[in-house]
Amino acid sequence: MTGTSMRTHRCGDLRVEHIGQTVTLAGWVATRREHGEHLAFVDLRDFTGVTQCVVDNTVDVRPEYVIQVTGVVTARPAENVNTKLPTGGVEIQQCQVEILNVAEPPPFPINDRADTVAENTRLQYRYLDIRRERMQRNLRLRSAVNSAIRRSMEDQGFVEVETPMLVPSTPEGAREFIVPSRQQPGSFYALPQSPQLFKQLLMVGGIDRYYQIARCLRDEDLRADRQFEFFQLDAEMSFVSQEDVHEAIGASVVAAAKAAGQDPGEIVKITWHEAMERFGVDKPDLRFGMELAELTDVFAATEFKAFASASSIKGINAAGKAEEYGRNKLDGMTDHAKQMGAKGLVWLKVGADGALESPVAKFLSDAEQAAVKERLDAKPGDLILIVADEWMTTCEVLGQLRNDIGRPPVYEGPYRYLWVLDFPLFVGVDEVTGRPKPAHHPFTQPHPDDLHLLETEPLKVRSQAYDLVLNGWELGSGSIRIHEPELQQRVFNLLGVTAEEADRRFGFFLNPFRYGAPPHGGFGMGTDRLVAILAGEDNIREVIAYPKTQSGADPLTGAPTPIDELQLRELGIALRKPPAGKGG
């Protein structure tokens, strides 16, 4: 329904088939242009578009005035047809104009030129920024994506259940926002990083298939794909395998992509180990090549000292980049590799005659040089980069360099979705405790084929955890959960958590599992990130109505702000003065 008591049509609705009709439009004045001595053109705008209105020159309306126009839809003269606008074949004549509200001149133009305005200014006047076509499109796309996700989940038998916003503090990896309790001074709530514990309890409660588009909060440093407040498609399923979860979530992602007018293509699957081996990162971008090539065997008998002592040697081929990267750029790239933990970086350029050009080329045998070119399919004009180090360092450094050199903007097609499976259950050893550190949360189910290694070689144990990745951005992660108390305590023992401590810290969560918890698994996917990519944006702030800046400030409201002494006293809180030189 487009008509209301104040309008018959919206500004972007009129077409040649409406010619001759008397209509009433309402919206904002986009522009006013003089047209001869007696007439003026007023472009009237709402979220659907603009319509040109021919008004008496005495009508005093200015940009962003809110007006109502009643007139007759008329064909534009052939020479004045605007083929760039859906309404460009018609205009409104015989106009009666009523000013509904006046407006001060806005601080920036309400059109695409505002893209060049400082972000802080746009966020300070976000209510004006939202009037622009770009923001209208993004927020409406977000709504369409959310609707498609909900339909898909409900069609698959999921039930939407809301979970609490005031929860106990739990160790989920990121820093929490803490909320003091007025009624219990000295005690605090936390805002939920995710509904993780509550959704698992819903499985104990027999809900079977739960979902919500949940608000989550994490006190993390902000960046292009991260905000304090974010939304995720949160889901949990009972009596399922990983494949069941992938199928359900995959269906909702396909529905979301189609709601944005895009074909998601196939969602492929690779293991974490394969992702690291081929791409050097656990969220690989499949839109370009430059995959890591294994070279350790090539240099098994090398006399080049930098390679002889390395347990892992890999390389990438930046095809056609030799001329683009001069010595200064290559030195900078080498410094960057060292900053990331590598001992160094070897570069080789393939000359016009096929010979390798590099300060280290003289240390490599003819057979080694030939094998490197063959393994990397190197041709004249290519730039080869090699790292020799521990396996993880080699992979991670080359993975970062691969992205730095070849990765296109995240929103550029094609859209390549993939599941990354079989993450390690633990990542390294804590330097203080000497115990393994969990890669996910401590309730993640170990891979059944690796259970025998849990106590003897925990760093070799894979988990039943999985990530969904799109164009190099992690959309979300999930896992099959531990539902058996005995296995849960085995994992806790590795982490140094006794049964008594587990009961104290997680009793409200673990005790219900004594009453019959079904096997279950779930997933959480960042809808802000998904919508940003589908909208053609590289920053999630552009698809959020009221985001924070990268520093965590809100230019619109001025938050965060101090609170007065009375509020602090009610909460039983006394503030310490910041150290000298910090704060104000």
Side-chain angles (χ1 to χ4, degrees), residues 119-127 222 227-229 541 544-561:
E119 184 184 49
N120 269 30
T121 302
R122 288 178 53 211
L123 295 183
Q124 181 181 354
Y125 298 95
R126 190 61 155 184
Y127 46 87
L222 304 189
Q227 282 277 298
F228 291 149
E229 302 172 76
R541 292 195 289 272
I544 297 173
Y546 301 106
K548 306 294 186 290
T549 64
Q550 192 156 335
S551 67
D554 181 357
L556 174 63
T557 65
T561 59

Side-chain angles (χ1 to χ4, degrees), residues 101-304:
N101 214 335
V102 298
E104 296 179 10
F108 52 79
I110 311 299
N111 54 40
D112 289 345
R113 285 187 292 160
D115 288 341
T116 62
V117 173
E119 184 184 49
N120 269 30
T121 302
R122 288 178 53 211
L123 295 183
Q124 181 181 354
Y125 298 95
R126 190 61 155 184
Y127 46 87
L128 297 178
D129 195 37
I130 288 173
R131 288 185 195 171
R132 298 194 304 130
E133 181 181 359
R134 175 185 181 184
M135 288 302 302
Q136 287 283 329
R137 180 181 63 248
N138 288 353
L139 293 179
R140 292 176 189 281
L141 175 64
R142 183 187 184 110
S143 176
V145 165
N146 285 346
S147 293
I149 288 173
R150 283 193 166 94
R151 284 194 300 271
S152 174
M153 298 302 284
E154 287 163 7
D155 287 347
Q156 296 179 79
F158 284 82
V159 178
E160 186 172 14
V161 182
E162 294 78 19
T163 51
M165 293 299 292
L166 295 173
V167 302
S169 178
T170 57
E172 290 191 49
R175 187 182 291 110
E176 298 166 316
F177 284 101
I178 301 300
V179 181
S181 169
R182 177 184 59 81
Q183 294 180 330
Q184 299 182 46
S187 295
F188 297 84
Y189 301 102
L191 298 179
Q193 297 185 44
S194 77
Q196 182 65 45
L197 306 183
F198 294 100
K199 67 180 183 179
Q200 289 190 244
L201 294 182
L202 289 173
M203 298 303 101
V204 178
I207 289 297
D208 193 74
R209 289 194 170 201
Y210 139 91
Y211 91 100
Q212 68 175 316
I213 297 181
R215 185 187 295 272
C216 306
L217 300 104
R218 295 179 183 175
D219 187 3
E220 300 178 298
D221 293 336
L222 304 189
R223 59 192 188 200
D225 64 349
R226 182 184 288 168
Q227 282 277 298
F228 291 149
E229 302 172 76
F230 62 95
F231 284 84
Q232 69 179 35
L233 166 61
D234 199 58
E236 198 78 12
M237 308 166 63
S238 293
F239 306 109
V240 292
S241 65
Q242 293 187 60
E243 290 72 23
D244 296 318
V245 179
H246 301 161
E247 182 178 353
I249 299 300
S252 72
V253 169
V254 169
K258 289 182 176 178
Q262 296 171 9
D263 180 3
E266 179 187 5
I267 303 179
V268 300
K269 294 184 179 184
I270 62 174
T271 66
W272 173 85
H273 190 271
E274 181 184 355
M276 298 301 296
E277 281 278 355
R278 292 175 56 191
F279 305 102
V281 293
D282 59 10
K283 45 181 182 292
D285 191 331
L286 304 184
R287 292 174 297 167
F288 66 105
M290 211 185 304
E291 294 188 20
L292 280 59
E294 181 59 58
L295 299 175
T296 309
D297 59 318
V298 170
F299 297 103
T302 189
E303 296 182 1
F304 183 38

Side-chain angles (χ1 to χ4, degrees), residues 53-123:
C53 305
V54 184
V55 304
D56 190 283
N57 202 17
T58 61
V59 174
D60 183 16
V61 294
R62 302 173 190 182
E64 302 313 309
Y65 274 31
V66 184
I67 66 173
Q68 182 187 60
V69 176
T70 298
V72 178
V73 182
T74 306
R76 288 198 195 187
E79 64 274 16
N80 293 335
V81 170
N82 186 345
T83 57
K84 296 180 181 179
L85 291 177
T87 60
V90 299
E91 61 188 13
I92 308 298
Q93 293 189 4
Q94 304 174 39
C95 292
Q96 296 178 340
V97 178
E98 179 179 352
I99 297 175
L100 303 176
N101 214 335
V102 298
E104 296 179 10
F108 52 79
I110 311 299
N111 54 40
D112 289 345
R113 285 187 292 160
D115 288 341
T116 62
V117 173
E119 184 184 49
N120 269 30
T121 302
R122 288 178 53 211
L123 295 183

